[in-house]
Amino acid sequence: MAESKPSLFNRTYLKIVAWIIAIAIVLLTAGQNRSPDYLKIERYENTALYSTEQSDAAYLQIGLLFRTGPAINSDQQLLQTLLLQTVQQQLDSIAEQALFTRLKVRLGAQATPDRIKVSIAILKKYSDQPEEIRKVTESLIQQLQDYFPRGDIEQRLNRLEAEQYLSQKDPENQLLNHFFNQLVAPASVHPLQRFSGLYRSSINPATLTLTLQGPNLETLPQILSSLLPGYQTSSTIAATTIAPGFRRLQPKDNQSYLLTGQALPGRQQNNFALELLAVKTLQQLLQQPGLPESRLTWKSLDKQGYLAMILHGSKISAEPRINDLMQSILGQLDDQVINTTRNKLLDDYNKRMEQTNNQLSQLDTIAFYQLPVDDLARFEKQLTQAENQQVKDFITDYLTSSEQYQLLLPAY
């Protein structure tokens, strides 16, 4: 008779393994759900200067954020591009001056739809010279204010206009251009006649915002804040409106296109997280089977924003059919799609914020729009707390309200 052997996995052993697995799952889940460690961002004594210390950074970086106003319609976009080019030309000559070469200063410029950012990068080994850095920053601000029109400015504008004309032949861009002109009426004065005024009003220390990131920031915020005299913060958010209506354009394509547009508050608003969740949820709804092809354009800028949806396909033929399409989209809106969208946004946000560089990229946003210095952590909470019913109300109002502005570009 064969000798019986003890069981390899007795009851006590299995209980221990089960507890170990359970604890591991809890720890892993807690690690995945843990919020990132957010940067400490400081605002110097209620001025327009925001900073974050990075003792191990290779460079001290100073950002000069100049307000251009939202560049929405084609004229504004042209002028802002021309403004950026002109600033870049100025920087090329300034960078060669002895004051800047002594600290091996690197200068650069870039544009977003409501501002021009001029950046100063200084090696860490020079970052402990605050008075020299002040001289560099002050000289740069002063020299940028002096506008000298270059002889090629008209040629550059003509080139930009030609590129823009070609892009606007696309049916969707044509509709967007009509919509943008409803948000901002085209000026009657030629862009070149307005350019010098735009330059002086934009490259203006009275509305300048400064950002600092890098090492040796003990005294620099106080020193550089003196370059921002007379800055006036504004808590007032101007309401943006657009007259409701329906307009039918002349056919220009073998497909029908419908634009539904709406003016929105700017980035300074308190409900930005809710608006983002609603827009992203609407994007998910538009991907449902059986709906026309779509394009969603959303901007939240300095005291002004907008949302425009373009649908195109055979189902778009006349205004009564438009309402049917909107109801078809709304028929897919429920808590599940909102919650799925919210979880995706939160997951993506937390993954991005795990990288310090991604957090640093938000410093300009917080400073320029005068958001709370703890906005990185607040945004996650606001997104979590946004109510589903508010999301449904936003989307329903956008798709069905009598305040819609609609453009129909029918097929031949």
Side-chain angles (χ1 to χ4, degrees):
M1 186 174 187
E3 183 180 347
S4 64
K5 296 181 179 180
S7 173
L8 180 62
F9 300 105
N10 59 44
R11 189 182 301 273
T12 303
Y13 179 83
L14 291 174
K15 284 183 178 180
I16 294 172
V17 171
W19 273 106
I20 291 173
I21 292 173
I23 293 171
I25 291 173
V26 170
L27 291 174
L28 287 171
T29 303
Q32 290 172 349
N33 295 333
R34 183 174 59 86
S35 295
D37 293 327
Y38 293 110
L39 291 172
K40 182 180 180 182
I41 296 175
E42 297 181 330
R43 181 178 184 179
Y44 183 74
E45 293 188 355
N46 205 37
T47 65
L49 190 151
Y50 293 71
S51 64
T52 184
E53 179 92 23
Q54 288 180 284
S55 57
D56 57 347
Y59 287 88
L60 166 69
Q61 299 186 58
I62 305 172
L64 283 63
L65 309 180
F66 293 102
R67 296 176 184 275
T68 64
I72 293 176
N73 69 12
S74 57
D75 276 2
Q76 291 172 324
Q77 292 170 6
L78 280 176
L79 285 172
Q80 195 198 52
T81 303
L82 204 60
L83 179 62
L84 176 62
Q85 292 178 351
T86 304
V87 167
Q88 288 172 327
Q89 287 177 334
Q90 296 273 69
L91 295 180
D92 289 342
S93 59
I94 293 172
E96 300 302 319
Q97 297 172 9
L99 177 62
F100 294 83
T101 58
R102 187 161 61 247
L103 296 185
K104 294 183 172 56
V105 174
R106 295 183 182 180
L107 300 177
Q110 61 187 81
T112 52
D114 52 10
R115 62 187 180 270
I116 298 286
K117 177 183 180 180
V118 175
S119 57
I120 303 171
I122 299 173
L123 284 168
K124 182 177 182 177
K125 66 179 180 180
Y126 299 113
S127 65
D128 59 352
Q129 302 180 43
E131 281 301 325
E132 288 298 304
I133 294 170
R134 182 194 63 78
K135 291 177 184 177
V136 163
T137 307
E138 183 177 31
S139 176
L140 179 59
I141 293 172
Q142 290 175 346
Q143 292 186 69
L144 283 174
Q145 290 178 77
D146 298 327
Y147 168 60
F148 302 104
R150 304 293 181 112
D152 66 340
I153 188 169
E154 186 171 357
Q155 293 177 345
R156 287 190 284 123
L157 179 63
N158 290 338
R159 190 180 308 116
L160 291 171
E161 285 181 325
E163 293 171 356
Q164 193 176 74
Y165 172 78
L166 291 175
S167 70
Q168 289 178 355
K169 296 183 75 172
D170 175 82
E172 293 187 5
N173 290 341
Q174 180 188 351
L175 285 173
L176 284 172
N177 190 47
H178 277 281
F179 171 61
F180 293 154
N181 286 337
Q182 297 298 315
L183 287 171
V184 184
S188 58
V189 181
H190 192 274
L192 282 182
Q193 294 177 278
R194 292 182 282 131
F195 182 69
S196 61
L198 173 67
Y199 189 97
R200 292 187 176 91
S201 63
S202 300
I203 312 302
N204 184 349
T207 59
L208 175 63
T209 299
L210 284 180
T211 60
L212 305 176
Q213 62 185 71
N216 296 319
L217 297 186
E218 292 81 6
T219 61
L220 198 55
Q222 179 183 5
I223 292 171
L224 293 187
S225 67
S226 65
L227 305 179
L228 302 170
Y231 182 87
Q232 300 293 321
T233 61
S234 174
S235 59
T236 302
I237 301 177
T240 57
T241 59
I242 182 171
F246 176 84
R247 183 178 175 187
R248 188 186 185 99
L249 304 179
Q250 292 297 317
K252 290 192 175 180
D253 197 82
N254 57 6
Q255 286 197 65
S256 293
Y257 295 80
L258 167 71
L259 179 145
T260 296
Q262 180 176 312
L264 297 172
R267 180 63 179 88
Q268 293 90 340
Q269 62 160 311
N270 294 325
N271 289 329
F272 174 77
L274 171 65
E275 186 177 294
L276 170 65
L277 177 56
V279 170
K280 295 299 183 181
T281 300
L282 179 56
Q283 278 186 323
Q284 294 301 311
L285 294 176
L286 293 174
Q287 295 174 12
Q288 300 296 324
L291 293 177
E293 294 185 40
S294 62
R295 171 182 175 183
L296 207 60
T297 300
W298 173 60
K299 291 288 185 185
S300 192
L301 304 172
D302 188 17
K303 298 184 175 70
Q304 184 163 0
Y306 62 83
L307 175 61
M309 175 182 69
I310 299 178
L311 303 172
H312 66 92
S314 59
K315 292 186 177 182
I316 302 169
S317 58
E319 187 175 1
R321 297 288 295 278
I322 293 170
N323 294 327
D324 293 341
L325 279 174
M326 301 309 179
Q327 293 300 331
S328 177
I329 296 170
L330 285 175
Q332 306 292 330
L333 178 58
D334 57 24
D335 288 332
Q336 182 178 352
V337 68
I338 297 173
N339 292 335
T340 299
T341 304
R342 186 203 317 272
N343 291 337
K344 178 70 163 55
L345 285 171
L346 285 168
D347 186 54
D348 290 346
Y349 182 74
N350 283 324
K351 285 180 179 177
R352 289 201 311 275
M353 292 302 103
E354 287 173 359
Q355 303 298 320
T356 301
N357 286 340
N358 291 333
Q359 291 194 40
L360 288 172
S361 69
Q362 296 301 305
L363 175 62
D364 289 350
T365 298
I366 291 172
F368 184 75
Y369 297 116
Q370 300 175 29
L371 304 177
V373 293
D374 62 343
D375 187 71
L376 293 178
R378 288 176 73 252
F379 175 75
E380 181 181 356
K381 293 178 182 177
Q382 289 172 336
L383 195 56
T384 300
Q385 295 169 359
E387 296 181 5
N388 286 7
Q389 188 57 51
Q390 291 178 301
V391 174
K392 292 176 183 178
D393 291 344
F394 180 99
I395 296 175
T396 301
D397 180 70
Y398 174 67
L399 293 177
T400 64
S401 171
S402 60
E403 298 300 309
Q404 287 178 337
Y405 181 80
Q406 291 186 329
L407 285 165
L408 181 64
L409 183 61
Y412 288 121

